[in-house]
Amino acid sequence: MGGFILCQAKKANKPFYLNDINLNIYTIEELCFYLCNNLYLINHSILNKELCNWIDVELEMNQLANQLVQTLSSQSLSRFVLTILSYVGFCDDDELEEIQHTLISLKDQTEEEQSKKKADNLLNNGKFEIAVREYELILRKKHRDKLGNDFYGRVHHNKGVAYARQFQFDEAAKEFLKAYDLSGHDESLKEYLCTCMFLMSDEEYMRMLEEHPEYDEASEKMKREYNMQDRQYRFIQAQKQHVYQSAESRLEEIKAEYRKTLV
């Protein structure tokens, strides 16, 4: 979406409500922005006459509305979306091709995989509470024989991230541990140990490690990473302080030189 986009003059008096993000939109550009930036939230529910009527009546874009009505019979999500974006000129050809590829690839995924993409998108956009609900819906309909432990382990892990971002560390720890039990990924174990450090006293944490010697390697790795990050942080702070002191010294020199000119 490089360059300038010439916006339509018409703004709707009555907005169109987007259920997925709980938002009212008033212009065709807002609709295009939603479509481009929320591909993983879009599903066939958007293929409806209500949206076509809104474009026709509220935005007075009769030609576009007629084209969209004609696409409804095909039930092609990519065709519907691309019709809107290309008509408005919101994207260039390369961007349209990429969007089409994404929508087609989503079509080949299972319902659970599509739902995870949607939940991950919500998580990345700071919609933590809604993301948790989406992950819960996926986990209620588990088909482990179809998607495997690794997939559901990633669902639990990301659900844990959503809880942690809301400072709900008790719930986050449970999800990270479930994720590790299912997938065996070190990242989930590290996140579990991190949340435990928030929740436990030093004595409780050390006792847990004694009871679970299989956590030792991950715990040591986490300490090394923490120490490295701490050293990097201290180095950056020292550099900032040095720059500040150098600037302050130079400022004093300039002041002294200026005062001499006043004598």
Side-chain angles (χ1 to χ4, degrees):
M1 279 169 278
F4 294 99
I5 299 169
L6 183 62
C7 295
Q8 302 289 326
K10 181 66 178 175
K11 180 179 178 181
N13 293 316
K14 180 181 177 183
F16 187 81
Y17 181 69
L18 296 170
N19 289 305
D20 291 324
I21 55 174
N22 301 317
L23 183 71
N24 286 322
I25 59 170
Y26 289 85
T27 67
I28 193 66
E29 288 79 23
E30 289 176 349
L31 175 61
C32 291
F33 185 84
Y34 163 74
L35 294 174
C36 289
N37 291 278
N38 296 279
L39 290 177
Y40 297 115
L41 299 184
I42 301 170
N43 54 43
H44 280 76
S45 64
I46 202 169
L47 301 173
N48 61 74
K49 287 186 177 179
E50 287 75 15
L51 178 56
C52 298
N53 290 336
W54 179 78
I55 291 172
D56 185 15
V57 176
E58 291 294 329
L59 301 184
E60 298 178 0
M61 301 180 72
N62 316 99
Q63 188 176 356
L64 174 59
N66 290 333
Q67 290 180 19
L68 292 173
V69 169
Q70 291 173 18
T71 68
L72 291 179
S73 58
S74 67
Q75 286 295 298
S76 171
L77 184 60
S78 61
R79 186 180 169 193
F80 189 86
V81 171
L82 292 172
T83 297
I84 296 173
L85 297 177
S86 58
Y87 184 92
V88 178
F90 198 81
C91 303
D92 60 32
D93 291 341
D94 290 338
E95 289 167 336
L96 288 173
E97 187 176 345
E98 185 179 345
I99 289 169
Q100 183 178 27
H101 176 75
T102 300
L103 291 172
I104 291 173
S105 67
L106 287 173
K107 182 181 176 183
D108 296 331
Q109 292 181 342
T110 64
E111 181 184 346
E112 290 85 354
E113 288 172 316
Q114 290 182 21
S115 296
K116 182 179 177 298
K117 291 280 189 183
K118 176 180 179 180
D120 292 346
N121 188 277
L122 290 165
L123 175 61
N124 292 333
N125 284 284
K127 309 282 187 180
F128 306 128
E129 212 172 313
I130 307 174
V132 166
R133 290 202 295 269
E134 288 294 326
Y135 290 127
E136 286 174 349
L137 288 173
I138 298 168
L139 294 169
R140 276 188 217 145
K141 301 184 286 186
K142 272 187 182 177
H143 298 291
R144 197 163 297 166
D145 55 332
K146 183 168 63 174
L147 292 169
N149 288 340
D150 186 75
F151 173 81
Y152 288 106
R154 284 184 281 118
V155 173
H156 278 293
H157 181 97
N158 290 358
K159 186 181 175 188
V161 172
Y163 275 129
R165 297 276 175 84
Q166 299 175 86
F167 304 100
Q168 298 180 43
F169 295 116
D170 277 320
E171 297 300 325
K174 293 173 188 174
E175 295 302 324
F176 289 134
L177 185 57
K178 288 176 184 176
Y180 177 68
D181 289 340
L182 283 171
S183 67
H185 290 165
D186 289 342
E187 188 63 27
S188 295
L189 180 56
K190 280 167 54 184
E191 295 295 343
Y192 171 67
L193 294 175
C194 280
T195 50
C196 286
M197 290 177 72
F198 279 108
L199 294 167
M200 300 177 179
S201 65
D202 291 343
E203 293 78 12
E204 289 172 329
Y205 183 75
M206 294 307 298
R207 189 160 55 247
M208 181 195 71
L209 292 180
E210 289 174 5
E211 294 171 358
H212 296 276
E214 67 272 21
Y215 296 167
D216 285 347
E217 185 178 346
S219 179
E220 288 301 318
K221 186 176 180 181
M222 189 175 67
K223 283 182 187 176
R224 288 195 298 272
E225 290 177 356
Y226 173 79
N227 289 334
M228 184 181 296
Q229 290 170 356
D230 185 57
R231 286 196 298 272
Q232 290 173 343
Y233 173 77
R234 291 176 185 275
F235 174 76
I236 292 169
Q237 293 301 108
Q239 290 295 104
K240 285 181 178 178
Q241 185 64 21
H242 174 71
V243 170
Y244 172 75
Q245 289 173 346
S246 299
E248 192 175 49
S249 300
R250 179 59 185 147
L251 182 60
E252 290 301 321
E253 290 174 7
I254 294 171
K255 285 181 180 178
E257 291 172 3
Y258 175 71
R259 290 190 191 103
K260 290 178 183 178
T261 65
L262 300 178
V263 176

